[in-house]
Amino acid sequence: PNHAKALVGAGNIFIKQSEYIAAISSYRKATELDPTLIAAHNSLGSALEALNNYKEALKCFLISSNLNPHDARAHLGLISNLMQTGNIDQGIEHAKTAIEIDPSNSSYYCALSNCERARGKLEESRSILHKALQINPDDTEALVLLSEQMIDKSDAERLLNLTEKVNTQGLTTPSLSGIEHVKANCFHKLKKHALASLHLAKANKLTLSYLPSDLYKWHEKNQTRKRK
């Protein structure tokens, strides 16, 4: 069991270094050594999800939730998979359950916000994101989601102010990329297109720095399609 936990720890280090393939290998070995280790299944699911492998990720989160129905992270993992298949109401149930289990985790509020946004309740979605930022002002996911739901220029100005206060020390590369995306969205809303382009370029550069080779090719193909 201790060796399995050590493998999860090693996988977490790989994640911080944006080495997802190595992390998945480490987490998978941990689940084989100790099939009851919930942290290993959750971490494996999250890493697979980061590579858009939702089918395999779902299996991991289902194992976790079966091992412990009160594991909030397992509920969080199930939400994105339910969203992918259009089961939004079920996603909301799991998000609310996760919040009941751990109301101090801003990620669960972001997940609930995504569900409300998917069913067209934008005001509710934004309100939930503000709750997430009250819990954790450095939650880059909440900032990114808010930047995608701005109504007017005053929203953009407020969001830029919040972004400037984020403590970027220790943030992962994906989170840093998220911050640049927020700034790009805000400057676009403010019609400062040169600044928006500058921050978008920074965001894309950061994104490509941590994508595995297969996702890099997908990203390049997607960007080419957008430019046409």
Side-chain angles (χ1 to χ4, degrees):
N2 287 335
H3 187 44
K5 290 179 181 178
L7 284 168
V8 172
N12 293 341
I13 293 172
F14 284 129
I15 290 294
K16 288 181 179 179
Q17 298 170 342
S18 300
E19 297 180 17
Y20 290 91
I21 304 300
I24 286 171
S25 176
S26 188
Y27 293 142
R28 203 180 293 280
K29 288 176 183 176
T31 63
E32 292 168 357
L33 281 174
D34 185 359
T36 65
L37 187 58
I38 293 174
H41 292 290
N42 280 336
S43 297
L44 177 57
S46 295
L48 289 165
E49 194 173 68
L51 300 187
N52 296 332
N53 192 340
Y54 293 102
K55 185 177 180 180
E56 290 301 313
L58 177 60
K59 294 178 183 178
C60 298
F61 294 125
L62 284 172
I63 290 172
S64 293
S65 62
N66 287 332
L67 287 169
N68 181 7
H70 300 292
D71 185 77
R73 192 177 169 194
H75 287 285
L76 178 65
L78 289 169
I79 294 166
S80 55
N81 284 278
L82 289 167
M83 293 279 286
Q84 286 290 318
T85 54
N87 295 310
I88 299 171
D89 289 340
Q90 289 183 45
I92 288 174
E93 289 178 15
H94 282 284
K96 288 182 176 179
T97 300
I99 290 171
E100 288 175 5
I101 295 169
D102 184 5
S104 65
N105 192 317
S106 59
S107 296
Y108 306 145
Y109 290 87
C110 289
L112 179 58
S113 169
N114 269 330
C115 293
E116 295 292 0
R117 181 183 180 184
R119 64 176 184 173
K121 296 196 173 183
L122 300 184
E123 189 60 38
E124 181 70 15
S125 174
R126 286 191 291 269
S127 176
I128 293 168
L129 289 173
H130 284 295
K131 288 180 183 178
L133 289 171
Q134 287 175 2
I135 295 168
N136 179 13
D138 295 335
D139 190 323
T140 55
E141 182 185 7
L143 291 168
V144 169
L145 292 173
L146 267 178
S147 76
E148 295 171 351
Q149 301 178 55
M150 293 180 291
I151 296 174
D152 51 34
K153 290 184 177 181
S154 62
D155 281 344
E157 290 168 350
R158 282 193 294 268
L159 195 51
L160 274 176
N161 185 47
L162 288 174
T163 304
E164 291 301 326
K165 295 177 181 178
V166 171
N167 181 9
T168 57
Q169 286 191 343
L171 287 184
T172 62
T173 305
S175 293
L176 291 172
S177 175
I179 290 293
E180 295 299 331
H181 270 293
V182 172
K183 291 179 180 179
N185 289 341
C186 289
F187 283 123
H188 179 73
K189 193 73 174 179
L190 294 169
K191 298 190 182 301
K192 297 181 179 181
H193 300 301
L195 282 172
S197 296
L198 174 66
H199 287 287
L200 183 59
K202 288 182 179 180
N204 287 337
K205 185 176 180 180
L206 284 165
T207 299
L208 295 179
S209 73
Y210 69 81
L211 287 178
S213 58
D214 53 346
L215 270 188
Y216 178 91
K217 292 175 183 176
W218 174 87
H219 180 86
E220 283 290 276
K221 183 178 180 181
N222 193 46
Q223 289 299 311
T224 301
R225 189 184 298 118
K226 285 181 178 179
R227 287 192 289 265
K228 288 183 178 178

